[in-house]
Amino acid sequence: MSIAICVAMSIGVVALARARQAAPADAPVAFRIIVVSTAQKAQEIRDQVLGGASFAALARAESIDPSAPRGGLIGPVPLAELREELRDILRTLDAVAVSSVIALPTGFAIVQREQQTSGSSIRGSEILALSAAGSVRATVSVDGFGEANTALNSLQKPEDWNQSPRTICELRQQSVGNVKTALARRLGPGLADTRAQFSAHDVMEAFTAYGQLLAYDGDMTGAIAQFEQAYRIAQTDMPGAIPDLLQSLGVAHMHKAEMENGLYRAPGDRCLLRVQGGRSLEKSADLDKASGYFLKLLDTSPNDIEGTWLLNVAYMATGGYPEQVPARHRIATEAFASPEGVGRFVDVAGAAGIDSFSSAGGVVVDDFDNDGRLDLFTSNFDSCGKMQLFHRTEQGTFVDRSVQAGLADQLGGLNLIQADYNNDGCRDVLVLRGGWELAQRKSLLRNNCDGTFTDVTAASGLAKPATSTQTAAWVDIDNDGWLDLFVGNEDAPSQLFRNRGDGTFEDIAVAAGVARTAFTKAVHAGDYDNDGFPDLYVSNLRSTNFLYHNNGNRTFTEVAVKAGVPGADRGFPAWFFDYDNDGWEDLFVSSYFLSIEETARSYMGLPQNGQTMKLYRNLGNGSFRDVTKEANLAKVYMPMGSNFGDIDNDGFLDIFLGTGSPSYAALKPSVLLRNKDGKSFVDVTVSSGTGEMHKGHGVAFADLDNDGDEEIVFKVGGATPGDAHAFRLFENPGNANDWLELNLVGVKTNRAAIGARITATTEDATGAKRSIHRTVNSGGSFGASPLQQHLGLGKAARRVDLEVFWPVSGTRQHFANVAKNRAIEIHELSDRIVPLTRRPAPLGGPRGK
């Protein structure tokens, strides 16, 4: 491969990573805009408007903005979704007044405030040049992920290469190796010829690309050497590249220090957000170098928010935060404070026997052998990485049974979800591949009910076409008792596989009206209008989200905008859940920006350019209301793997967000948000000890030790082999609230009871009653909790009544005076409760509860 191709690869990846994005909610404004190519022309047009000419007519005749055919009309659009230059003008501009000339990336503009603030809103993605998204700064890329993908894409591959996980692994290794060899030759012995043939810019980009690929494999010493070469060229020939290279060198030294100090294999508390001091890393030379590069960057760009954030994180690693951070660059400790405590969670993964060190991946917690104990199933985004099945023993430890289970050839996989697709009473697993990459086959692993799995992907009809995906939902769309499968794909139509009931599936997406093409990152099922048929929500990275209303006849109608749940134009995790326990499924919808700066702005209390995550409250009339601000969720966190559960058994569902991006610079804490009585959420990350700074992927909530509270099960690791990480299992410190564990078994409804609805009504000693609502599913959209449902009941529940609604039979079971603090099983159409034996088994942590 020529150096020119390698340079083009690097430039293309950087350009893609820095593609602009979208922003938050505020009072809507409407305005007209005229954009022209010169300031002089803009001033001339302004003078004409002030002289009485029609702004709209001049916009149609002169403006180069896409709004010209509408007379320059924009909006109504939330003020905060606009670029800062426009925000500042429109906040103070009187109606029909004309602004002074404004410099924009697309030219020079004048605006006129409109009195109209009603009508059809224009999405931020439709006015990208004017939106605040245009001000979002992408995080510096130090990871080699894009270069490695481009290398694989450029490699000549055999037919059906993406149908074999083993072949995908071999081609990934070959393609990266080929490019590294070519660059080493060009930049080593052949450097003199290279300099003679190519421009200084091209040579600098080649050194950078080589450094990125070395970083991809975790060779940080080699990567730093290449970045230093690029930096020397920039100092003499390309000064505009100096800031990014300073930041890249700082990040590379920090990653090297973390690796040399064993943070990725034995993280302990050293990988957590540390607000006050903490133990310094023993090998600190590279941390000192990292701080030096960040300080040098801030000397020339003192307002660089990303550099400021990384400098503070570097001092956290040395134990010198906050005292040793120069005052002018110090982020106040109050920015990270937890207003309240929920007890300290402790990582006991190693002590519990979960020996897993891998890159990104999914996790499923469920009982795969029907012995009454929850097991762990994990995947590995590394194309050559193996899946693991950890069996929970009677003694409480976990044992790796991957080989015995027949998983040796199941490589790769970014996410996993479980179901009982064939209604045989055993949990099956679907493996999703190709997310962020080239299209690859899924794997449907049928549980043989004997501790082994069989790959039935081809026989079931799910193998072809291969797609790029990490998200899917098992859901019985037509209430026939068989679970169907909805798959959201990246830049390809979604798929809806109807379960024929004989082990095979047929794709009915087109006929069902759900075969829309988007860059889909999450799908979730829920019955938002309580009509007995499950609906679908689709979260997209670069467009409006979709809400598919189930028409009850195997077709759907898209109603996202009409229902008031369009999302943030930059979506990732999303799910239905009843956060306020009013019996109507609400929607949590994230935003996702590859920007440390936007997350830092959330912590530092600065205005955000990136649109925040959203909480939509179900109004019970087919529509939702955006309650993000009042729920204290108007933040930008960069969430990936995320899920919900009840950490304190108060009956209200809490949220855990695993955060990050491929770049080694994306050092930001995971976030634990406690639900306050269904009204708002409070950040308890620091007080709970769950603020893992590295890449958060699969998340599940589960009572692994059978003591009545839910642990946080957390698959940590980045997108590259050089960013692999140990598994995390945060043990719940316990609480005094009551609980129930419910295992539902469908008879006419699917055997796993997915979609069944549970209502627990409690009464306390004062006679006060409350209801707690749950729908059987595996939780969020990246990571899967057990299908058996854990219900926190709050304090001193004197009486507990249960109601279960089964969607296929349409029946409702009622059980009065149910004993609390135990596990039970309920079968559809049965009139009795079956007690389950669940013996507490310690997880092997450093302290008991």
Side-chain angles (χ1 to χ4, degrees):
M1 183 177 291
S2 72
I3 190 170
I5 292 176
C6 294
V7 169
M9 283 168 38
S10 177
I11 293 172
V13 168
V14 171
L16 179 61
R18 293 188 176 178
R20 297 305 190 182
Q21 304 152 41
D26 205 345
V29 295
F31 62 97
R32 295 184 186 272
I33 188 167
I34 297 173
V35 182
V36 292
S37 57
T38 68
Q40 180 180 355
K41 180 69 171 176
Q43 185 60 50
E44 291 173 357
I45 294 174
R46 181 175 186 271
D47 291 342
Q48 292 180 57
V49 174
L50 293 175
S54 166
F55 194 105
L58 286 169
R60 293 187 183 93
E62 304 285 354
S63 182
I64 60 175
D65 189 77
S67 63
R70 301 190 299 271
L73 181 62
I74 300 290
V77 62
L79 188 65
E81 290 192 6
L82 298 172
R83 292 184 64 86
E84 189 172 4
E85 306 95 305
L86 290 171
R87 263 184 267 162
D88 292 343
I89 289 285
L90 289 169
R91 277 195 185 101
T92 58
L93 193 65
D94 294 332
V96 307
V98 180
S99 74
S100 57
V101 175
I102 312 164
L104 295 174
T106 52
F108 296 87
I110 58 171
V111 296
Q112 182 181 56
R113 183 75 175 262
E114 283 283 304
Q115 292 178 323
Q116 171 207 349
T117 56
S118 61
S120 299
S121 178
I122 297 174
R123 300 295 300 158
S125 56
E126 296 170 340
I127 55 168
L128 190 57
L130 307 181
S131 72
S135 302
V136 171
R137 178 187 170 193
T139 293
V140 64
S141 175
V142 181
D143 51 79
F145 179 65
E147 287 82 355
N149 274 350
T150 306
L152 178 60
N153 194 31
S154 303
L155 186 72
Q156 186 172 357
K157 297 176 279 294
E159 186 178 358
D160 282 346
W161 67 276
N162 55 16
Q163 291 294 309
S164 164
R166 185 70 60 183
T167 300
I168 295 169
C169 163
E170 293 168 355
L171 293 175
R172 169 70 79 184
Q173 292 178 322
Q174 178 186 343
S175 61
V176 172
N178 287 351
V179 177
K180 289 202 304 188
T181 299
L183 283 169
R185 184 172 60 249
R186 283 285 193 174
L187 299 175
L191 180 58
D193 290 340
T194 299
R195 287 186 179 276
Q197 286 181 278
F198 296 96
S199 69
H201 176 271
D202 286 348
V203 177
M204 181 190 72
E205 291 287 353
F207 276 119
T208 301
Y210 189 22
Q212 293 279 12
L213 286 170
L214 293 170
Y216 174 84
D217 283 328
D219 179 2
M220 301 314 297
T221 299
I224 288 167
Q226 303 307 312
F227 292 155
E228 286 174 342
Q229 291 274 30
Y231 180 56
R232 292 187 189 102
I233 296 173
Q235 286 178 302
T236 57
D237 298 297
M238 303 292 297
I242 288 176
D244 274 359
L245 285 167
L246 284 173
Q247 205 151 317
S248 295
L249 282 162
V251 169
H253 277 289
M254 188 145 47
H255 196 73
K256 180 172 179 278
E258 290 181 322
M259 294 179 74
E260 289 181 345
N261 282 277
L263 263 67
Y264 292 90
R265 289 191 176 272
D269 286 349
R270 298 180 300 167
C271 286
L272 301 181
L273 174 63
R274 293 189 287 173
V275 176
Q276 289 291 340
R279 181 162 61 94
S280 173
L281 301 186
E282 294 179 5
K283 301 176 182 179
S284 60
D286 281 285
L287 283 175
D288 293 338
K289 291 179 181 177
S291 297
Y293 280 117
F294 297 141
L295 285 169
K296 188 177 291 188
L297 169 66
L298 292 169
D299 284 344
T300 57
S301 304
N303 296 321
D304 189 304
I305 295 175
E306 180 171 317
T308 300
W309 176 272
L310 290 171
L311 177 67
N312 280 263
V313 170
Y315 275 101
M316 288 179 186
T318 65
Y321 174 85
E323 291 83 4
Q324 295 176 20
V325 182
R328 64 189 183 281
H329 302 310
R330 185 184 304 142
I331 298 175
T333 58
E334 291 77 16
F336 308 105
S338 295
E340 60 185 47
V342 291
R344 186 80 175 179
F345 287 67
V346 174
D347 179 13
V348 297
I354 304 174
D355 182 15
S356 177
F357 179 79
S358 76
S359 57
V363 63
V364 175
V365 180
D366 219 315
D367 183 358
F368 289 104
D369 51 8
N370 290 335
D371 64 356
R373 297 185 295 273
L374 294 173
D375 311 302
L376 301 181
F377 202 125
T378 73
S379 64
N380 191 335
F381 187 45
D382 185 337
S383 297
C384 300
K386 295 182 178 180
M387 293 182 188
Q388 292 180 284
L389 173 61
F390 291 98
H391 170 72
R392 179 88 159 134
T393 67
E394 287 188 42
Q395 294 72 34
T397 56
F398 288 89
V399 177
D400 191 336
R401 293 272 181 86
S402 310
V403 174
Q404 297 92 321
L407 301 175
D409 291 327
Q410 292 297 329
L411 308 178
L414 184 51
N415 200 8
L416 306 165
I417 52 171
Q418 84 276 34
D420 182 1
Y421 79 93
N422 55 359
N423 287 339
D424 66 354
C426 301
R427 303 289 197 245
D428 313 298
V429 176
L430 179 73
V431 183
L432 298 159
R433 296 188 179 89
W436 305 109
E437 299 185 298
L438 302 182
Q440 299 170 30
R441 64 163 278 177
K442 312 167 190 67
S443 286
L444 178 59
L445 306 180
R446 185 189 67 208
N447 190 333
N448 300 317
C449 299
D450 61 1
T452 67
F453 292 82
T454 298
D455 189 328
V456 295
T457 318
S460 69
L462 298 181
K464 294 183 178 181
T467 60
S468 297
T469 182
Q470 67 173 57
T471 185
W474 290 102
V475 52
D476 185 357
I477 64 161
D478 49 6
N479 284 341
D480 65 353
W482 297 94
L483 286 171
D484 311 300
L485 179 66
F486 183 81
V487 180
N489 294 312
E490 297 175 359
D491 289 336
S494 293
Q495 297 164 296
L496 178 58
F497 294 101
R498 179 176 173 267
N499 191 335
R500 294 189 178 105
D502 60 0
T504 67
F505 296 80
E506 60 174 333
D507 188 352
I508 63 168
V510 173
V514 297
R516 295 187 175 214
T517 296
F519 199 89
T520 297
K521 299 306 296 178
V523 297
H524 206 258
D527 182 5
Y528 77 90
D529 55 357
N530 288 347
D531 67 352
F533 285 92
D535 311 297
L536 299 167
Y537 193 78
V538 181
S539 178
N540 301 315
L541 187 62
R542 296 194 291 261
S543 65
T544 301
N545 295 345
F546 309 141
L547 173 59
Y548 290 116
H549 175 258
N550 192 330
N551 299 321
N553 58 2
R554 295 181 187 162
T555 70
F556 293 79
T557 301
E558 202 290 300
V559 295
V561 173
K562 178 182 177 182
V565 291
D569 285 329
R570 297 283 305 183
F572 204 155
W575 56 71
F576 289 99
F577 72 152
D578 188 354
Y579 82 94
D580 55 0
N581 280 325
D582 67 351
W584 295 91
E585 296 259 73
D586 310 297
L587 265 170
F588 172 83
V589 183
S590 75
S591 62
Y592 185 73
F593 296 87
L594 296 169
S595 174
I596 289 178
E597 178 174 309
E598 290 306 304
T599 297
R601 284 175 174 273
S602 289
Y603 280 100
M604 297 164 69
L606 299 174
Q608 299 138 335
N609 295 311
Q611 190 158 185
T612 70
M613 54 190 174
K614 300 289 186 183
L615 180 64
Y616 296 115
R617 182 173 180 269
N618 194 330
L619 300 179
N621 60 2
S623 66
F624 295 76
R625 183 170 70 87
D626 186 339
V627 296
T628 308
K629 283 189 173 181
E630 60 197 74
N632 194 33
L633 292 178
K635 310 288 176 61
V636 179
Y637 281 134
M638 200 189 283
M640 298 186 299
S642 310
N643 213 321
F644 58 88
D646 187 354
I647 59 170
D648 51 5
N649 283 341
D650 67 350
F652 292 99
L653 292 168
D654 312 299
I655 296 172
F656 187 76
L657 305 175
T659 66
S661 74
S663 177
Y664 300 163
L667 295 165
K668 53 184 61 182
S670 297
V671 181
L672 181 57
L673 301 168
R674 180 173 178 260
N675 187 336
K676 297 274 289 184
D677 301 323
K679 297 175 183 176
S680 65
F681 289 80
V682 61
D683 188 334
V684 294
T685 304
V686 171
S687 64
S688 64
T690 56
E692 167 64 56
M693 295 293 288
H694 295 132
K695 314 305 168 49
H697 285 88
V699 175
F701 286 78
D703 182 8
L704 287 175
D705 50 6
N706 294 330
D707 66 350
D709 50 47
E710 291 187 297
E711 276 67 53
I712 299 174
V713 184
F714 194 17
K715 176 75 171 179
V716 184
T720 67
D723 208 10
H725 199 283
F727 197 92
R728 290 284 210 176
L729 171 55
F730 289 117
E731 185 180 14
N732 195 314
N735 55 77
N737 288 337
D738 296 317
W739 55 276
L740 268 178
E741 200 85 34
L742 273 73
N743 187 54
L744 299 186
V745 180
V747 177
K748 290 188 175 181
T749 300
N750 67 88
R751 182 76 177 266
I754 290 175
R757 304 283 290 267
I758 301 166
T759 301
T761 302
T762 68
E763 180 180 318
D764 64 20
T766 68
K769 293 184 178 182
R770 59 176 292 212
S771 293
I772 296 142
H773 299 271
R774 298 288 183 271
T775 300
V776 177
N777 57 44
S778 57
S781 54
F782 200 156
S785 300
L787 292 175
Q788 69 180 41
Q789 296 298 296
H790 181 92
L791 272 68
L793 302 175
K795 293 185 183 299
R798 185 180 66 177
R799 175 189 173 100
V800 181
D801 297 334
L802 283 179
E803 178 183 281
V804 181
F805 171 70
W806 299 90
V808 173
S809 64
T811 57
R812 294 182 186 273
Q813 295 166 303
H814 297 273
F815 301 94
N817 282 319
V818 177
K820 62 187 180 181
N821 299 328
R822 63 171 182 161
I824 60 176
E825 185 169 276
I826 297 174
H827 291 242
E828 186 177 12
L829 306 178
S830 174
D831 60 359
R832 68 189 187 94
I833 288 175
V834 180
L836 297 175
T837 301
R838 295 284 189 266
R839 290 190 304 168
L843 288 166
R847 45 99 177 96
K849 297 187 195 175

